[in-house]
Amino acid sequence: MIRLRQVKVDILKDTKEEILKKVTRQLNINKSDIKDLKIIKKSLDARKKDQLFFVYELDISTTNDEKIVNEIKSKDVFISNDKPYVFEKTGNKELNNRPIIVGSGPAGLFCAYLLAENNYKPIIIERGEKIEDRIKTVEKFWNTNELNEESNVSFGEGGAGTFSDGKLNTLIKDKEKRGHKAFQIFVENGANEEILYEQKPHIGTDNLRKIVKNIRNKIISMGGEILYNTKLTDIEIENNKVKAIKVNNNRIIKTDILVLAIGHSARDTFKMLYEKGLTIKNKPFAVGVRVAHKQSIINESQYKKFAKYLPPASYKLTYQTKARRGVYSFCMCPGGYVVNASSEKNRLVVNGMSNYKRETPIANSAIVVTISENDYGTNPLAGIKYQEQLEERAYIIGKGQIPIQLYKDFKEEKKTTSINEESIAIKGHYTLSDLNCLLPKYISDSIKEAMPFFGTKIKDFDGDDTVMLGLESRTSSPVRIVRDENYISNIMGIYPCGEGAGYAGGITSSAIDGIKVAEAIAKVYKEVK
């Protein structure tokens, strides 16, 4: 196969015929010479606002690949040597009990999928409900404010990412093709094939729910098992090795392998693990607010006159304050909703969510400020306590509802008294407030300093009618459960995994980490008989 890069196609002429025309011209061949063509990558070049291009990377099979490459002599034309993902089973140690995976977010699901696919017969325990029931529970919460602390936007089958935009972009380099393997699993279970090559792939919360169900059924069909409404409450350790776990404070399940894919909000589990002697460290994270704009403002800024031809636009913004704090956009949701993502009573936190079509007229993203142990202390659980205190304040200020404020009032430090409801898209109840009463001064001051700069990048980003919603406090896990080069914690048999353990930051990186842990297990243990 010939790998051909830098195939530029005008966005107004983005057809298969136009791509073929470009390919034949760049390779100096006839269309009849092409036996097969496959898209490897597709990205948007929007640097010149007067002309936008899609840039393709393609694999092309011809009647004489080697001859064509030798004649072209270009760094963008070469023989593709991509190798497929390979799961290696080299372990020879007997497993007396089935592996247990705690959590069914992307880290847990993909770890289980690879283990089940290779006859390890894993058991997933999930504190929340299966996806069908979880959706009903979350919808009820948004409508009535009645919270289920075990099954909500953070807990339940699919993890926190199930109520998100379903973004799959990641900064992780993927030489071993683990990410591609994860995307293939998504596609095999119902995702659109475009995620295999799009520059910024996303699934959408509506499609992700269906895909999670299909992945669950596939795991079960391959010998896995999933226990819902089943919470890890204790671990039995003998001679510094995991022996069994206790769930729901009453049932003992023996195991030799415990994968902790618990997610970034499982604070009670973090505390239990710390008490059991697992080595845990605090780690930096970020705190701030959600901001909402008309999607048309973002589209116009990013695409100018071409906006009507392209899907809803996204953005990524960064700034460093005079006090050397980072301020940046996070989890940008084009055409989406801000959602009440609370998981604990009398505490409030928000997140962003979009469907596949990103169909609302409102864009939102988090604007967050970096914090560290200089702000919350050196104790391994100090970051958790910091989050809890801010979320309790958010609950009080919002009277149990999402506190929101116009940017103009935020700057002037006065409570917002009225708002145009067409300027927001929210899942859950909200109340008008003053977010200065919620955020520590160094965070609110950092946001106030950064917003005008962001306004120079996207016109009207710092407009007076920009809506701000609090609190965004769970950008990443506030802890890291320490593991060695074999992915094992200081307690033998326990494998910290994914975002909650501090080794990932999003759906794709969590899925990749789940695959890594499955590989690590297969290097030590034989499959289950």
Side-chain angles (χ1 to χ4, degrees), residues 149-366:
E149 290 188 276
E150 302 301 336
S151 190
N152 45 61
V153 172
S154 292
F155 300 142
E157 187 174 36
T162 308
F163 290 91
S164 71
D165 181 77
K167 284 178 286 293
L168 300 179
N169 47 301
T170 178
L171 298 177
I172 288 179
K173 293 182 180 179
D174 191 30
K175 292 180 180 179
E176 293 81 10
K177 298 295 180 182
R178 295 185 184 101
H180 191 71
K181 171 66 172 177
F183 283 20
Q184 286 179 322
I185 292 171
F186 275 129
V187 170
E188 289 166 8
N189 288 279
N192 194 305
E193 285 191 4
E194 68 191 20
I195 69 170
L196 295 173
Y197 57 80
E198 288 280 4
Q199 178 188 22
K200 296 180 180 179
H202 84 109
I203 293 178
T205 188
D206 48 347
N207 289 341
L208 195 54
R209 297 169 185 182
K210 302 169 190 174
I211 294 163
V212 165
K213 182 179 177 181
N214 292 338
I215 289 175
R216 167 230 295 170
N217 291 335
K218 190 69 180 291
I219 289 171
I220 293 171
S221 74
M222 295 188 295
E225 184 180 354
I226 305 178
L227 306 177
Y228 299 103
N229 303 302
T230 304
K231 178 178 176 180
L232 176 67
T233 50
D234 200 2
I235 301 174
E236 291 188 14
I237 299 168
E238 189 175 277
N239 298 324
N240 202 48
K241 188 179 187 310
V242 63
K243 180 182 178 183
I245 63 168
K246 180 180 283 189
V247 298
N248 297 339
N249 292 309
N250 58 24
R251 179 184 174 187
I252 302 293
I253 307 176
K254 291 184 178 181
T255 190
D256 306 299
I257 295 171
L258 182 64
V259 178
L260 296 174
I262 56 180
H264 62 37
S265 294
R267 294 165 175 166
D268 48 2
T269 307
F270 289 137
K271 293 171 184 175
M272 182 271 288
L273 295 173
Y274 184 62
E275 291 169 359
K276 298 301 293 188
L278 271 80
T279 302
I280 294 178
K281 296 181 178 180
N282 66 35
K283 59 182 277 292
F285 54 101
V287 170
V289 296
R290 284 257 152 195
V291 296
H293 300 87
K294 290 182 180 179
Q295 183 64 49
S296 58
I297 291 175
I298 310 303
N299 295 345
E300 169 64 23
S301 175
Q302 302 295 69
Y303 301 147
K304 301 298 183 184
K305 63 182 180 181
F306 298 101
K308 62 183 178 180
Y309 303 108
L310 294 165
S314 62
Y315 58 79
K316 186 175 182 180
L317 300 167
T318 62
Y319 177 79
Q320 188 172 61
T321 69
K322 295 172 184 175
R324 311 294 291 176
R325 285 189 186 270
V327 185
Y328 60 95
S329 62
F330 172 80
C331 186
M332 195 269 154
C333 296
Y337 301 88
V338 174
V339 306
N340 188 333
S342 303
S343 61
E344 299 169 359
K345 290 195 183 296
N346 302 321
R347 293 177 180 145
L348 188 141
V349 61
V350 296
N351 195 13
M353 181 182 89
S354 296
N355 289 323
Y356 174 72
K357 292 184 178 180
R358 294 170 163 171
E359 71 275 24
T360 81
I362 306 298
N364 77 78
S365 78

Side-chain angles (χ1 to χ4, degrees), residues 38-103:
K38 180 182 179 183
I39 300 173
I40 302 301
K41 291 181 184 177
K42 179 183 180 182
S43 58
L44 178 65
D45 184 346
R47 290 173 294 178
K48 296 180 180 178
K49 301 302 182 183
D50 60 335
Q51 189 172 20
L52 273 58
F53 293 96
F54 287 122
V55 182
Y56 286 92
E57 186 170 321
L58 306 165
D59 268 356
I60 302 145
S61 177
T62 72
T63 53
N64 198 333
D65 294 352
E66 295 279 356
K67 181 174 180 290
I68 292 169
V69 170
N70 289 335
E71 288 178 350
I72 297 296
K73 294 180 181 177
S74 167
K75 62 180 175 60
D76 293 322
V77 181
F78 52 92
I79 298 298
S80 174
N81 59 358
D82 278 0
K83 296 179 181 178
Y85 170 80
V86 177
F87 185 88
E88 296 182 355
K89 293 192 290 183
T90 57
N92 55 19
K93 192 172 182 179
E94 294 286 349
L95 267 175
N96 298 315
N97 301 286
R98 294 165 69 181
I100 294 177
I101 298 168
V102 186

Side-chain angles (χ1 to χ4, degrees), residues 3 14 109 119 125 147-148 164 203 233 236 285-286 323 388 437 449 485-486 495 510-511:
R3 177 65 55 86
D14 185 36
L109 282 178
N119 301 314
I125 65 167
L147 177 67
N148 181 334
S164 71
I203 293 178
T233 50
E236 291 188 14
F285 54 101
E388 289 173 338
C437 299
E449 184 180 335
E485 66 276 9
N486 298 311
Y495 293 77
S510 294

